[in-house]
Amino acid sequence: MQIDNTVSVEDAVQALALVGDLSMGQPTDGSIRAARLAARLAQADGATLDACCHARLVALLRWSGCTANASGFATLLGDDVGGRDAMLTQTLPADNPLTVQSVTPLARIHCEVSGDIAGLLGLPAEVEAGLRHVWEHYDGNGLPERLRGSAIPTVVFYTSLAGDLEILARTHGLPEALQMIARMAGRKYPAPLARLLAGHAQAWLDELDTPAPAAVDPLLARHVPLSIVADMMELKLPWLAGYSRRVAELVEAAAARADLSPAQQQSLGRAALIHGMGRAAVSNTIWEREGKLSAADWEKIRLVPYWTARAGVQIPTLRLEAALASHAYERLDGSGYFRNLDADGLGLPHRLLAAACAYVALCMPRPWRPAYSQDEAARVLAGQTQSFDADAIRHVIEAAGVPAAGVPAAGVRAAGVPAPAAPARKSLLSDREIEVLRRISLGESNKEAARVMQISPSTVRTHVESIFRKLACSTRAAATLKALTLGLI
């Protein structure tokens, strides 16, 4: 049976917006509120109906590239989530390390990935252009290209003004927010547009307390792969690239072996693709910390499935899948999180998803350990029947192609093993370039990749330059995103 793991463009945009909010330390409806304000500002400025829609979409997706540079901001600010929240609310200490030199590479990653996501969603060129320049300033002091005035798409100014109003009014109160915006007028955005916003700010903020009208644009009703959301989420940690895709493939196959209905198989596959949404709310400094995590660290990690469950509140069409996804870390003995459920509260779909997540994680490398072989992963999982359901383990291991004898079953590809690239797509890159791409997608430096591949760092650099040229990108995060969507890795 062919599983349909697609969602409407509108739902994909909403999911990406929520992940962006979590990544930037904002409320889960922050981008939704900013989008409504951006559309109202565009309308008041005399923009066309299409331009108002573009403003809404750019505001919703303005942080869709923030997972890709999370590691850089964690290094720069010590906490990518809290640090970027302070940056947005203008509460960073005076001696903060942000400089044009330090932030430009991060802004370039963000803008390139955001623009590429708009392309993957099939959004209008105006939306893509807005996202590729979303951090530019009217006076030419923005990033990454330092464009000035009319060289910047107007939708950028709608978005930045609306975003500043939503964030600053929420954190500082409206009077002070308007003063802060007035000080940035003529620098970050055109002064007349800032004055227009100020004249309507209170009324527009009051409107946010009423339900928003449903989007009716036929463009947003088209369907796109839900995997776009999974790929964007996993750019946060390079060693996660492709993880949710593999879990989805495995749990669908395991559900079929368990004789679950086609609808349940589809729901499990979709839940697998979004089960990591809440990961964006936890700083990379925790995910990448060496040694034992503290109790405070674990408290934040235990909230990951809670934030995933919150996705269902924002995206009604994914409500059931988000609820299912939020059980991925529950365990039969009650040791899981965030609900601390035990066997009595976990049905077979919950148990299959938990086992599939664990198996695929074992089969993939992590900074603190190498990947287990398929047989090793199966043995480790099979030895944890106090936490995982025995029948679920059996279905997952058999679906992964590792029966009890350890001989892969015919016609089944083991989870955790990259799918071979389709011939037409593989022709984009050479075999060597695909291997280099796999290495850098895991976050390896040129030197690290060279050591593993037993070639020189300069040869790796040459391959990376060729990969960038062929995939029409300029950053490793963008190359990883394109490689995943093209089936190259």
Side-chain angles (χ1 to χ4, degrees):
M1 183 195 72
Q2 183 65 38
I3 300 293
D4 178 16
N5 280 331
T6 64
V7 294
S8 72
V9 173
E10 176 69 18
D11 289 341
V13 168
Q14 296 280 352
L16 292 164
L18 186 142
V19 175
D21 286 333
L22 293 177
S23 296
M24 302 294 283
Q26 302 306 297
T28 54
D29 65 345
S31 288
I32 293 173
R33 291 165 59 87
R36 291 183 65 181
L37 292 170
R40 289 295 268 128
L41 178 58
Q43 182 183 37
D45 192 42
T48 65
L49 187 60
D50 282 348
C52 293
C53 179
H54 298 161
R56 173 180 175 270
L57 290 170
V58 172
L60 283 169
L61 292 172
R62 71 198 192 282
W63 292 330
S64 57
C66 62
T67 52
N69 61 15
S71 181
F73 271 108
T75 300
L76 190 61
L77 298 175
D79 177 351
D80 52 299
V81 178
R84 288 189 288 193
D85 172 54
M87 182 176 69
L88 294 174
T89 57
Q90 300 187 25
T91 55
L92 280 171
D95 60 348
N96 72 80
L98 297 186
T99 64
V100 171
Q101 184 177 10
S102 65
V103 176
T104 297
L106 304 181
R108 181 166 288 111
I109 292 170
H110 182 125
C111 292
E112 182 171 21
V113 169
S114 293
D116 285 350
I117 286 174
L120 292 171
L121 295 174
L123 297 177
E126 293 87 348
V127 175
E128 182 174 338
L131 290 168
R132 292 191 185 280
H133 300 99
V134 75
W135 297 118
E136 301 289 352
H137 288 186
Y138 183 70
D139 64 359
N141 287 320
L143 299 171
E145 305 300 333
R146 300 178 73 82
L147 301 180
R148 179 187 296 271
S150 61
I152 303 170
T154 304
V155 71
V156 170
F157 302 133
Y158 297 148
T159 298
S160 58
L161 263 168
D164 284 349
L165 176 62
E166 194 281 323
I167 293 168
L168 298 177
R170 171 166 41 83
T171 55
H172 299 282
L174 181 58
E176 186 175 348
L178 292 178
Q179 292 177 16
M180 298 168 80
I181 288 171
R183 288 194 291 270
M184 292 184 283
R187 295 188 292 121
K188 188 173 182 181
Y189 17 67
L193 201 59
R195 288 194 293 270
L196 176 63
L197 176 86
H200 295 276
Q202 184 65 69
W204 290 347
L205 287 171
D206 290 342
E207 286 180 1
L208 298 180
D209 294 329
T210 61
V216 295
D217 191 333
L219 173 72
L220 304 181
R222 290 183 301 103
H223 275 231
V224 294
L226 185 57
S227 57
I228 293 174
V229 178
D231 296 340
M232 175 267 195
M233 294 186 303
E234 290 170 357
L235 291 176
K236 180 176 173 68
L237 297 163
W239 37 270
L240 276 175
Y243 167 66
S244 294
R245 284 173 174 260
R246 296 175 192 176
V247 175
E249 179 184 354
L250 179 60
V251 78
E252 287 169 3
R257 287 176 174 269
D259 292 326
L260 295 189
S261 70
Q264 289 176 304
Q265 294 173 40
Q266 175 175 288
S267 185
L268 272 166
R270 289 156 69 89
L273 289 171
I274 63 172
H275 83 276
M277 292 183 77
R279 198 180 293 116
V282 180
S283 172
N284 273 38
T285 54
I286 292 176
W287 293 119
E288 298 172 350
R289 199 185 310 284
E290 295 183 2
K292 186 177 180 180
L293 296 180
S294 68
D297 290 341
W298 268 110
E299 276 306 303
K300 293 180 180 179
I301 289 175
R302 289 173 67 87
L303 287 175
V304 167
Y306 164 78
W307 290 116
T308 299
R310 289 289 298 165
V313 176
Q314 303 288 1
I315 314 164
T317 56
L318 287 175
R319 181 171 292 141
L320 294 178
E321 287 84 353
L324 177 54
S326 69
H327 289 77
Y329 301 104
E330 301 290 351
R331 299 293 181 257
L332 297 184
D333 57 4
S335 64
Y337 50 91
F338 70 100
R339 298 180 180 89
N340 297 112
L341 298 176
D342 58 18
D344 291 338
L346 299 173
L348 183 54
H350 304 133
R351 300 175 186 213
L352 287 169
L353 180 60
C357 287
Y359 179 83
V360 175
L362 289 168
C363 288
M364 296 179 69
R366 295 292 183 258
W368 54 89
R369 62 157 174 82
Y372 287 84
S373 71
Q374 299 156 36
D375 286 349
E376 290 170 340
R379 283 195 293 272
V380 170
L381 187 61
Q384 297 185 34
T385 52
Q386 77 282 2
S387 299
F388 299 95
D389 178 77
D391 287 336
I393 291 173
R394 175 171 55 82
H395 292 311
V396 164
I397 289 175
E398 291 180 355
V402 189
V407 180
V412 180
R413 182 174 65 82
V417 178
R425 293 172 175 170
K426 187 176 180 181
S427 64
L428 286 170
L429 303 177
S430 68
D431 289 342
R432 189 58 124 180
E433 287 170 341
I434 289 174
E435 179 58 24
V436 168
L437 184 54
R438 286 198 179 109
R439 303 312 317 178
I440 67 172
S441 74
L442 295 173
E444 293 181 359
S445 66
N446 287 358
K447 287 184 178 180
E448 290 168 333
R451 183 169 60 252
V452 173
M453 298 177 66
Q454 298 186 324
I455 56 179
S456 70
S458 62
T459 300
V460 172
R461 184 173 61 253
T462 298
H463 285 311
V464 170
E465 291 171 353
S466 177
I467 291 166
F468 284 177
R469 185 173 60 255
K470 291 180 179 180
L471 295 183
C473 58
S474 62
T475 63
R476 295 180 178 216
T480 298
L481 179 65
K482 288 190 174 181
L484 287 167
T485 56
L486 290 171
L488 295 172
I489 59 175

